[in-house]
Amino acid sequence: MVKKWNFEIRAFAEAFILQVITFAWFYFCGIGRILAWHNSMRDFVMGLVVFFFGQMVVKKPLLSRLWGPAGCIYLLMTGIYPYVIGTSMHGWHADFDLVNPYYLSALSVGIVLTLLAVAGKKEPQGAPCGDRYYRVVGHILQHGGYFLPGIFLYLR
């Protein structure tokens, strides 16, 4: 029974650790209002959900080679832009609203690149197209960009 949930637990833990490291980096760069639900915690949860279900769809952990190109873009966009914004404000308040577009872009580009890499393989080992679970989660990931922010906005 425990072996059945090993991948799901590992996928959630990897997604959670990645989000904690990302938002800790934002804090160390001087970005404010990191713990405000209406600003950044909503994006934290959205990123956690996207990375968790992304791993479920491709059936590969975040540290696999499949996630490599997405990881490079995610690290560059969430590493450089917050640092430049945080250090260039010179005494002004660097708010999370300034970093939010770069974070969401990195998240979107990363997940789309990975899903395209899986779909582009001739023999997808991770997720067969006829699998009902794959289609449902893929649909959520495809259209989640429209619905997830609205759902989390409503939960304020």
Side-chain angles (χ1 to χ4, degrees):
M1 187 73 152
V2 174
K3 283 193 165 202
K4 181 179 179 182
W5 295 99
N6 278 346
F7 181 73
E8 286 83 2
I9 292 170
R10 179 180 175 189
F12 182 80
E14 285 181 2
F16 184 77
I17 289 170
L18 177 66
Q19 292 300 97
V20 168
I21 291 171
T22 301
F23 279 77
W25 173 250
F26 293 164
Y27 176 77
F28 289 127
C29 287
I31 305 299
R33 296 197 309 180
I34 292 295
L35 296 177
W37 171 256
H38 63 282
N39 256 2
S40 60
M41 284 294 104
R42 184 177 55 212
D43 289 339
F44 179 92
V45 172
M46 189 167 35
L48 183 69
V49 167
V50 166
F51 278 130
F52 174 71
F53 282 119
Q55 291 178 80
M56 293 294 106
V57 169
V58 299
K59 296 182 182 174
K60 297 278 185 183
L62 282 176
L63 298 176
S64 67
R65 293 182 64 192
L66 180 68
W67 288 90
C72 289
I73 291 175
Y74 182 80
L75 288 175
L76 287 173
M77 288 185 78
T78 59
I80 294 172
Y81 288 115
Y83 178 76
V84 170
I85 290 170
T87 57
S88 66
M89 295 303 279
H90 297 296
W92 290 53
H93 181 67
D95 195 27
F96 184 78
D97 293 335
L98 300 172
V99 177
N100 188 21
Y102 303 112
Y103 170 73
L104 293 178
S105 297
L107 191 67
S108 303
V109 168
I111 195 69
V112 167
L113 272 179
T114 306
L115 291 176
L116 286 176
V118 169
K121 287 184 176 181
K122 291 183 181 178
E123 297 174 341
Q125 299 169 355
C129 291
D131 189 14
R132 176 185 246 175
Y133 179 73
Y134 172 72
R135 284 186 286 145
V136 170
V137 174
H139 183 71
I140 290 170
L141 287 176
Q142 181 181 6
H143 299 293
Y146 299 111
F147 301 117
L148 281 176
I151 291 169
F152 288 123
L153 243 167
Y154 179 73
L155 294 175
R156 283 198 293 171

